[in-house]
Amino acid sequence: MSSPLARPTTVLLTGASSGIGAALLPRLLDRGHTVVALARRAAHLPARAGLVPVTCDLSDLPGLPALAARLAADHPGLSVLINAAAVQHARPLTDPASSPAHLIEEASLNLAAPALLIQALLPTLLAQPDGAIVNLSSGLATFPKAAGGLYSASKAGLSSFTTSLRWQLSTTPLLVSEVVLPLVDTPMTAGRGRGKISAEVAAVAILSGIDARRTMIRVGAARALPLIAALAPWLGRRILRGT
Ligand SMILES: NC(=O)c1ccc[n+]([C@@H]2O[C@H](COP(=O)([O-])OP(=O)(O)OC[C@H]3O[C@@H](n4cnc5c(N)ncnc54)[C@H](OP(=O)(O)O)[C@@H]3O)[C@@H](O)[C@H]2O)c1
């Protein structure tokens, strides 16, 4: 089968206003796709042919099925869903600035929102000859960081959910991909971490993984994780706990 992005199609991209999502957006538009771009700051995206900005708060879980139903009705040719939106509150629970709202936001936006969007959009995606669901996960799904317990858990949950979904859809033509990213230089990681790759490099790797129909798209240093997990899990825990 060919790439789900081989022909101009309609792509729903969450998190399009910043970081990796913002780096994916112009590349998708350059390839002739219509991009339905979701973010709270979607209205600030520079206007371009093919761009459909949708301002929304994806952590508003009860509103997501109706939002997705409206998007599906407006874009019946939607064939690719890329879940990039997420938030990380990188502080331990003992930090006085850590709040219940932070935990609710991480669990809602990073895990429940992609699941709700996927559930609501599945009939539309399955109606296309070669669609795709692409979920942005993290090396922290394998080895958690100390100061990001719920963020790491949300990415582990998203990874597990993506595997289940792939099994559920194994008899359909829908590609279900998990992207495992290393540290990427974006507002999410501002002021911390070393050896970060750029959002542009991450975006190019993600698109080439989709083009190759890879179910696991491991980017940069994240490619070493399966070997480290198999041979020296203590090393993986040591490297990632302080990121
Ligand atoms: N950066 C890294 O090192 C790294 C590593 C591994 C995995 N990842 C994953 O890669 C993805 C992109 O991360 P990034 O680094 O590019 O993050 P980022 O620069 O912080 O961008 C996050 C995006 O999520 C959107 N967003 C946040 N809260 C939202 C809400 N309530 N409703 C709707 N949209 C919301 C933001 O848009 P608005 O603020 O406009 O709403 C923004 O477009 C995430 O899934 C992240 O977990 C990143």
Side-chain angles (χ1 to χ4, degrees):
M1 286 183 77
S2 59
S3 163
L5 296 170
R7 287 181 302 280
T9 186
T10 303
V11 179
L12 193 156
L13 172 65
T14 73
S17 63
S18 173
I20 299 159
L24 284 168
L25 177 60
R27 286 166 174 80
L28 291 166
L29 293 170
D30 287 348
R31 288 171 67 159
H33 302 301
T34 298
V35 183
V36 184
L38 273 58
R40 291 167 303 182
R41 293 170 288 166
H44 300 297
L45 291 168
R48 274 197 59 180
L51 172 63
V52 182
V54 177
T55 302
C56 61
D57 183 346
L58 290 169
S59 66
D60 171 21
L61 299 183
L64 287 194
L67 170 70
R70 177 166 65 78
L71 295 173
D74 290 348
H75 304 281
L78 174 69
S79 70
V80 175
L81 167 62
I82 303 178
N83 284 302
V87 67
Q88 179 178 170
H89 297 288
R91 43 172 58 98
L93 295 184
T94 48
D95 186 321
S98 174
S99 76
H102 289 166
L103 302 183
I104 292 168
E105 189 184 16
E106 286 178 325
S108 304
L109 180 65
N110 302 2
L111 180 56
L116 286 166
L117 281 182
I118 289 166
Q119 183 183 49
L121 293 172
L122 258 185
T124 306
L125 296 168
L126 285 169
Q128 319 302 329
D130 52 1
I133 295 170
V134 181
N135 292 333
L136 269 59
S137 170
S138 163
L140 297 176
T142 308
F143 299 112
K145 65 188 271 184
L150 194 52
Y151 175 83
S152 304
S154 73
K155 291 296 168 182
L158 185 65
S159 171
S160 170
F161 177 80
T162 307
T163 301
S164 296
L165 189 67
R166 189 178 306 119
W167 290 340
Q168 288 173 35
L169 298 172
S170 60
T171 58
T172 78
L174 204 56
L175 173 71
V176 180
S177 295
E178 174 182 351
V179 179
V180 187
L181 290 157
L183 263 180
V184 185
D185 193 7
T186 70
M188 181 181 279
T189 61
R192 63 184 173 82
R194 286 175 301 162
K196 293 186 265 194
I197 63 169
S198 71
E200 287 69 30
V201 167
V204 168
I206 291 167
L207 292 177
S208 88
I210 297 172
D211 283 338
R213 297 190 63 84
R214 290 214 299 274
T215 52
M216 288 298 291
I217 303 173
R218 299 183 189 277
V219 179
R223 284 198 286 263
L225 286 175
L227 194 63
I228 294 173
L231 298 181
W234 58 270
L235 179 62
R237 282 193 287 272
R238 184 193 289 177
I239 294 170
L240 276 98
R241 68 181 283 177
T243 53

